[in-house]
Amino acid sequence: MALLVICCIGCGRDISAAEWTLKGSLGQQLQYNDNIAMSPVSKESVVGYLLAPGFQATRKSGALDIGFQGQGDIRRYDDSRWNCDNYNLGLNNDYRVRRSIFSLNGGYTVSCSYAQQLAQTGILVPNSQSTNYRLAPSWTWQWTDRDQMILASSYSKTSYSNSLGGIASNTDIGFSGNDTYAVNLSANHLWSRRLSLNGKLVFSNIQYTGSDSSTQNLFGFQLGTNYTINHYWAVSASGGPVWVDTKQSSSGQASSLSLGSIANISLNFNGQLAKFSGGYSNSVNPSAIGQTLQTRSIFANYSYRLSRHVVLDLVSSYSRSESIGGQSTDNITSQFNRSYFTASPGIVWELEKNWRLRGSYSYSWQDYQQDNNVANINTGVSDSNLVMLSLNYSWDGIHGFPIKN
């Protein structure tokens, strides 16, 4: 409702002074996956077709910017059990007054949850639908020309419509949704043209849903810096501790406190023909298995322009996820440990101004482990090979400019 009110107010004022744009895109993809479920026991190969329409509408004026975007991801496979529909709607608003910027961002996502399952659990279960609502207001205050303060908050609600056929193979166990509230207070200081410093205080409350759900409070701080080395190279780093206070809702156990950490380090190169980005990340986030996971990952992305219309790229990452702050008895998953690696080389042909053809191959490997007292056929080492051929079209759209009297 708040997003709708701001949108209506913004569209109803200063229409003649506003700049607006409307853009669109359409992606299509043929793919073959020899182990879509990442199973170490029995591999299921599928052939699929993906259709991804999208649009973006923006309106900018002197004080108010409004952006609305929508994205679809529709997948059909020769095995209909794996058919998948994803839809994402988002609204971004920025209101500027003097030294302050008030922002309100929100969105609604309906997903077959494959993305969450692969990122958080490593196991893909068909016919498991997820819904996510998110709302994130924030206030940015330009204290001085070099100093900036940001107060940001967010609310996210994730739920799953299919509660059966989840992680453990010997029980009717599904994925666990959660309600997450977060508040962050951060400050940025521009030390010089090349160097900036930042700090942040973080707090979040995670309430897992389920018959024996848990509540976790995360609080901590982090310090960071951004440094531009030269015209081509830039580096950024941030990190700090985070404490996780866990309380089981119905077990009667006392709350437990554990220590985790947050860290991000990245190195970026932007040349005329080549681009590179790499780094390390350590994050603490809620997951679909009713546990808060600490995930450490390293990544490296590289692209090189072979000719005017041909680009070679490589995307790769390795991550290690572990339970932190107690385990969920609802999902009987006990301690969760998972190592995951993926590498995807590809080549892009820019056929025309708005047309791109991309051929790519993706290899994924994981080692999924749980405590020995949990019977689960999904534990073990597995891998998959995915071959993709994509054709994408981007529409420049239509534009409107201020009317001069």
Side-chain angles (χ1 to χ4, degrees):
M1 182 62 67
L3 296 176
L4 181 61
V5 170
I6 289 183
C7 182
C8 294
I9 294 175
C11 292
R13 298 177 55 187
D14 300 331
I15 295 179
S16 62
E19 298 182 8
W20 56 270
T21 61
L22 177 63
K23 298 181 180 181
S25 63
L26 180 64
Q28 300 180 79
Q29 184 182 101
L30 294 174
Q31 59 177 235
Y32 168 78
N33 193 327
D34 70 347
N35 187 13
I36 187 172
M38 293 293 292
S39 172
V41 179
S42 60
K43 294 186 176 182
E44 294 186 57
S45 61
V46 295
V47 176
Y49 169 75
L50 180 149
L51 182 67
F55 73 92
Q56 180 181 17
T58 60
R59 177 191 179 274
K60 296 183 179 181
S61 64
L64 180 64
D65 294 347
I66 296 177
F68 182 72
Q69 59 274 347
Q71 184 69 47
D73 185 339
I74 304 168
R75 306 186 180 203
R76 293 295 179 265
Y77 295 95
D78 57 348
D79 185 346
S80 60
R81 292 184 307 120
W82 295 100
N83 290 347
C84 172
D85 296 331
N86 303 278
Y87 303 98
N88 181 25
L89 299 175
L91 184 63
N92 305 317
N93 303 275
D94 291 325
Y95 179 70
R96 295 176 294 275
V97 53
R98 296 183 180 178
R99 290 181 173 268
S100 296
I101 301 177
F102 299 92
S103 301
L104 182 61
N105 303 325
Y108 170 72
T109 301
V110 177
S111 169
C112 62
S113 76
Y114 291 166
Q116 295 99 316
Q117 294 177 40
L118 185 61
Q120 300 173 8
T121 70
I123 303 169
L124 272 67
V125 179
N127 302 319
S128 179
Q129 192 81 8
S130 71
T131 303
N132 175 263
Y133 303 89
R134 57 192 182 277
L135 186 66
S138 65
W139 171 48
T140 302
W141 178 39
Q142 194 68 41
W143 184 15
T144 68
D145 292 340
R146 291 178 175 267
D147 298 286
Q148 186 181 72
M149 302 288 292
I150 302 173
L151 177 62
S153 61
S154 65
Y155 167 73
S156 174
K157 180 180 180 63
T158 302
S159 59
Y160 293 86
S161 62
N162 184 4
S163 61
L164 302 180
I167 302 297
S169 62
N170 61 335
T171 54
D172 290 337
I173 299 169
F175 298 110
S176 176
N178 65 83
D179 294 347
T180 300
Y181 304 83
V183 178
N184 301 324
L185 177 62
S186 58
N188 301 321
H189 173 69
L190 184 62
W191 185 272
S192 65
R193 293 181 59 185
R194 292 188 174 185
L195 177 64
S196 64
L197 307 176
N198 57 78
K200 180 186 293 186
L201 298 175
V202 298
F203 171 81
S204 62
N205 172 266
I206 306 170
Q207 301 176 10
Y208 290 103
T209 57
S211 59
D212 192 12
S213 58
S214 64
T215 300
Q216 293 185 326
N217 293 314
L218 284 71
F219 51 94
F221 67 90
Q222 62 185 81
L223 302 174
T225 181
N226 299 309
Y227 181 66
T228 301
I229 302 173
N230 54 37
H231 182 70
Y232 301 104
W233 290 93
V235 63
S236 63
S238 63
V242 58
W243 288 266
V244 181
D245 182 21
T246 303
K247 182 178 181 180
Q248 207 71 32
S249 299
S250 60
S251 63
Q253 298 178 356
S255 62
S256 61
L257 185 66
S258 57
L259 177 63
S261 61
I262 301 174
N264 289 281
I265 303 173
S266 65
L267 178 66
N268 296 277
F269 171 80
N270 191 356
Q272 294 182 347
L273 298 178
K275 295 182 179 180
F276 169 81
S277 63
Y280 167 82
S281 173
N282 186 8
S283 61
V284 177
N285 293 301
S287 73
I289 61 173
Q291 299 184 27
T292 298
L293 300 181
Q294 176 156 310
T295 301
R296 301 176 177 88
S297 61
I298 56 175
F299 67 92
N301 305 324
Y302 175 79
S303 67
Y304 184 81
R305 183 168 292 276
L306 300 174
S307 67
R308 182 179 178 182
H309 300 288
V310 180
V311 178
L312 176 68
D313 58 43
L314 172 65
V315 178
S316 62
S317 65
Y318 171 82
S319 63
R320 172 72 176 178
S321 298
E322 298 175 345
S323 303
I324 182 174
Q327 292 79 47
S328 167
T329 58
D330 179 39
N331 278 346
I332 319 179
T333 50
S334 189
Q335 178 67 28
F336 176 88
N337 296 288
R338 177 192 176 218
S339 298
Y340 180 72
F341 169 79
T342 181
S344 179
I347 188 166
V348 179
W349 293 270
E350 298 174 352
L351 303 176
E352 297 291 342
K353 177 183 178 182
N354 299 323
W355 290 90
R356 302 180 69 193
L357 179 66
R358 185 174 191 268
S360 60
Y361 162 77
S362 180
Y363 174 76
S364 300
W365 172 93
Q366 76 171 3
D367 183 5
Y368 174 85
Q369 299 295 332
Q370 287 183 305
D371 286 351
N372 295 330
N373 62 337
V374 178
N376 192 337
I377 63 173
N378 297 306
T379 58
V381 177
S382 61
D383 62 359
S384 71
N385 297 276
L386 176 62
V387 180
M388 297 161 286
L389 181 64
S390 308
L391 179 64
N392 295 280
Y393 171 76
S394 59
W395 178 48
D396 292 335
I398 53 178
H399 306 264
F401 300 94
I403 299 176
K404 296 181 180 181
N405 298 326

